[in-house]
Amino acid sequence: MKILFLGTSAATSFPLAFCRCRVCEKARINKGKDIRKRSSVIINDDMLIDFGPDVVTSSNMYNIDLTNIRYILQTHGHSDHFDAGHLATRLKEYAAQDVNPVCIAASEETIKSLDKRMKAEDPNVDLFDPDWQRGLNIDIRFIYSGDRIKMGNYYVTALESLHDIYENSLIYIISHNNKSVLYGTDLLEISEKAWEILKTFRLDLVILDHTYGKGFNSGGHLDAGQFADIISKMKEENIIHEKSMVYATHISHEGNDTHDIMEETAAKNGYHIAYDGLELEI
């Protein structure tokens, strides 16, 4: 599997628009890996995880043709992970031509959140209406924690993230050609139920939320200390092996640092810091 990071920032872009903290000021000077767009990844050019506001810009920067996307996994419906305007351009009113069908998988509660955001673009939109689904040329599949579904040549397993219980937010394990990757952004914690599912896998790549630096957790996400603890437990439970790759994403300026400094610290703890445009192959 090929994995491309379209964005690796938390909530808003990195650096923060109006922030003058040391890290944000440094990022403005350094540019490069210290400029982060909102988190999203593409797998094998045809599967997108989170249709966020920076996806179109990122795909153009990294030579990705979004018309090849056939599957979208939506973790939840928060504005940094879903952009209703992008999805609306699939409608005939935008004069889009030869729009290929796309299957969108998410919890029913998350689809309700997407529907609410779509109504801001057009009050008549109804993602639960088959006519609107045909108009957008999408197929919606509800998925819940513990479910395993087939999407094309992929098998997708959903795990609860507990980030937003009202949206029943999820993280995903994607399996393809005997390889498995966990994409776990916007993760509050790994529940006991999720651990039991994880123990049935041998993961080749783990991508986890790293919103906060150690000791700076403001809630809703993981910090660096929790990240390291999870990786340690995954090793103990043989969920990851000696050749597994581990990367951090969804990075904010709160307690974190510039990329090179974070990477140096992360390497000592057995993982790496993702950056926009990073491409991995497993």
Side-chain angles (χ1 to χ4, degrees):
M1 278 194 290
K2 181 178 69 176
I3 295 89
L4 175 67
F5 289 83
L6 295 181
T8 55
S9 172
T12 67
S13 57
F14 190 122
L16 225 59
F18 302 106
C19 182
R20 290 181 175 176
C21 77
R22 178 189 61 83
V23 178
C24 286
E25 291 284 48
K26 258 304 207 190
R28 292 185 184 100
I29 295 168
N30 292 348
K31 297 181 171 48
K33 294 177 183 178
D34 286 314
I35 302 298
R36 301 179 184 275
K37 296 175 290 299
R38 283 158 287 196
S39 293
S40 181
V41 297
I42 280 188
I43 298 175
N44 291 340
D45 299 330
D46 62 356
M47 176 176 278
L48 172 68
I49 306 182
D50 283 344
F51 198 8
D54 297 324
V55 163
V56 173
T57 298
S58 297
S59 63
N60 289 330
M61 289 178 64
Y62 307 129
N63 298 313
I64 293 293
D65 185 351
L66 290 177
T67 66
N68 292 325
I69 295 296
R70 294 294 181 273
Y71 316 102
I72 296 176
L73 300 178
Q74 196 66 40
T75 59
H76 61 304
H78 292 179
S79 62
D80 55 323
H81 291 263
F82 176 72
D83 189 292
H86 288 336
L87 188 61
T89 62
R90 296 176 61 82
L91 293 168
K92 290 181 180 179
E93 288 82 346
Y94 286 84
Q97 298 181 22
D98 300 321
V99 177
N100 286 311
V102 167
C103 179
I104 301 176
S107 70
E108 183 176 359
E109 293 82 356
T110 288
I111 296 298
K112 288 178 181 177
S113 176
L114 307 191
D115 184 62
K116 183 177 179 180
R117 294 185 185 279
M118 289 292 289
K119 282 178 167 56
E121 300 294 320
D122 184 335
N124 298 310
V125 170
D126 184 352
L127 292 182
F128 293 87
D129 185 334
D131 288 337
W132 275 98
Q133 292 179 22
R134 280 190 291 273
L136 289 160
N137 203 4
I138 60 174
D139 173 39
I140 292 177
R141 296 187 67 178
F142 298 142
I143 185 170
Y144 295 95
S145 181
D147 287 352
R148 185 172 187 260
I149 64 171
K150 193 172 189 298
M151 300 181 78
N153 294 319
Y154 302 97
Y155 285 95
V156 176
T157 304
L159 306 172
E160 59 190 4
S161 75
L162 305 179
H163 169 70
D164 188 332
I165 59 174
Y166 300 105
E167 288 196 11
N168 205 348
S169 56
L170 299 169
I171 60 176
Y172 297 104
I173 300 170
I174 301 94
S175 301
H176 176 71
N177 287 344
N178 297 315
K179 299 288 184 179
S180 293
V181 53
L182 168 65
Y183 187 75
T185 189
D186 286 54
L187 176 62
L188 175 63
E189 63 177 322
I190 297 182
S191 68
E192 285 304 315
K193 178 181 178 181
W195 275 118
E196 290 307 309
I197 297 169
L198 283 168
K199 289 175 187 178
T200 67
F201 285 88
R202 291 268 283 170
L203 300 172
D204 301 283
L205 172 62
V206 174
I207 303 166
L208 287 181
D209 185 292
H210 197 298
T211 300
Y212 306 112
K214 188 174 182 180
F216 284 80
N217 200 312
S218 298
H221 300 270
L222 298 181
D223 60 41
Q226 293 169 312
F227 187 109
D229 289 344
I230 288 172
I231 298 309
S232 178
K233 183 171 180 179
M234 284 185 172
K235 289 178 180 177
E236 291 174 6
E237 300 288 352
N238 292 316
I239 296 167
I240 55 178
H241 50 82
E242 63 279 356
K243 293 185 178 179
S244 299
M245 293 186 286
V246 180
Y247 278 83
T249 192
H250 204 269
I251 295 161
S252 81
H253 68 152
E254 296 176 70
N256 289 311
D257 214 308
T258 54
H259 182 273
D260 288 346
I261 293 174
M262 287 186 68
E263 175 63 26
E264 185 178 340
T265 303
K268 294 175 182 177
N269 289 293
Y271 65 96
H272 298 280
I273 305 298
Y275 55 87
D276 294 17
L278 172 66
E279 188 171 311
L280 304 172
E281 192 154 348
I282 59 172

